[in-house]
Amino acid sequence: MTMDPRHTPAHTTDLLAAYANGSLGAAAAERVRQHLDRCPACQQELAAWMAIREAAQLAAAPA
Amino acid sequence: MQQQPACDDRQTIQRIATGDRQALTELYARHRLMLFRYLLQLTPDHGLAEELLQDTFVAVWKSARDFEGRSSGTTWLIGIARRQAHNTLRRRGLPLADATALETMAARDPEPEDALLAGAAREQLASAIARLAPLHREVLVLTFAQELSYAEIAVALAIPVGTVKSRLNHAKRALRAALEAAEGVER
């Protein structure tokens, strides 16, 4: 059995934006956390979403 | 974003449905800033956004009886604001994003290029978000500035949850492309 996390069925990329904005339920958030522990690609993608989150909040602030 | 228990909004909207003007004033005070920020993502014109905000609350007054409480008050209000904006923009001949073309773009995978987004300066990214197509800007703002869940966004935009997810990923790709283009210009 491969241990490459990018090939496991637990891949959770579709949930990363929701994880970044804190809107996931507890069970789904825990699943994402466990996957992130062993998936560098998803860690990188989460970092991208966190950067987008901060920028979107800045972009939406009234001028 | 100001957090209010969902039941407060539901009760306020029910009072509006009975003709309670004070309830309309309360709902306006609670949500006007959030809705104004949202409308500014659909039009850069502050005056038009203000006009659309007023239209939204006129529509709330007229349609409060139709609120069935199946979605949160916030989601219901965003749906009304969005319809007001789109109807007015269409009537005035202002262009709307071509949703079909945007939705059929290729699907994504987690990619090393995410490092580019993760490492970008916040102001640079915010500026790129401001230049995105309205469809992409809107989904990013609803997710991260309004902090709605995928399900709430799906209701507000009247699209499936799967489309919310794919639209977010398309928005991320568009941002990455914008950053790469900006870097190319600087070289």
Side-chain angles (χ1 to χ4, degrees):
Chain A
M1 191 177 107
T2 176
M3 290 306 289
D4 182 346
R6 296 193 66 161
H7 297 141
T8 64
H11 214 52
T12 52
T13 44
D14 275 357
L15 299 177
L16 288 176
Y19 184 79
N21 89 343
S23 67
L24 275 189
E30 181 54 32
R31 192 152 53 88
V32 171
R33 261 194 298 277
Q34 287 181 6
H35 181 76
L36 283 169
D37 279 347
R38 51 190 163 71
C39 182
C42 283
Q43 288 168 16
Q44 185 68 266
E45 186 169 359
L46 178 64
W49 282 120
M50 295 302 281
I52 291 170
R53 174 175 177 266
E54 284 196 0
Q57 290 174 346
L58 182 66
Chain B
M1 178 173 161
Q2 190 178 2
Q3 294 294 327
Q4 290 283 341
C7 61
D8 276 10
D9 282 339
R10 292 204 174 101
Q11 286 166 358
T12 308
I13 294 166
Q14 282 165 1
R15 282 167 52 211
I16 294 170
T18 67
D20 183 340
R21 284 184 176 276
Q22 176 60 31
L24 186 70
T25 305
E26 287 170 22
L27 197 72
Y28 179 81
R30 204 179 294 160
H31 292 292
R32 69 184 165 79
L33 189 58
M34 177 276 288
L35 286 170
F36 187 61
R37 286 178 182 171
Y38 170 68
L39 288 164
L40 280 177
Q41 307 311 311
L42 303 181
T43 171
D45 182 334
H46 277 239
L48 180 55
E50 182 65 39
E51 189 183 324
L52 291 169
L53 181 65
Q54 303 307 321
D55 290 346
T56 298
F57 279 90
V58 171
V60 165
W61 180 250
K62 289 179 181 167
S63 61
R65 276 184 213 169
D66 300 329
F67 178 68
E68 294 171 346
R70 284 184 299 193
S71 60
S72 72
T74 302
T75 305
W76 184 69
L77 286 168
I78 287 175
I80 291 178
R82 187 171 197 267
R83 278 194 295 281
Q84 293 299 319
H86 281 216
N87 290 343
T88 300
L89 291 172
R90 192 177 295 123
R91 205 166 50 236
R92 297 187 187 181
L94 299 170
L96 288 172
D98 184 344
T100 310
L102 290 165
E103 292 307 330
T104 53
M105 285 165 68
R108 92 290 161 268
D109 276 318
E111 292 169 1
E113 286 84 353
D114 283 325
L116 179 68
L117 290 165
R122 192 173 63 146
E123 289 73 17
Q124 185 190 9
L125 257 185
S127 165
I129 288 172
R131 293 195 307 273
L132 284 179
L135 200 66
H136 289 154
R137 197 168 60 236
E138 175 180 63
V139 77
L140 292 180
V141 167
L142 290 176
T143 304
F144 296 115
Q146 311 295 352
E147 298 179 331
L148 299 188
S149 68
Y150 292 160
E152 287 174 316
I153 297 169
V155 172
L157 303 185
I159 56 177
V161 169
T163 307
V164 174
K165 295 176 184 175
S166 61
R167 198 173 286 183
L168 274 165
N169 282 308
H170 294 155
K172 180 155 73 68
R173 284 197 156 182
L175 263 183
R176 193 163 63 206
L179 287 182
E180 284 168 349
E183 284 195 348
V185 168
E186 284 170 13
R187 255 179 230 138

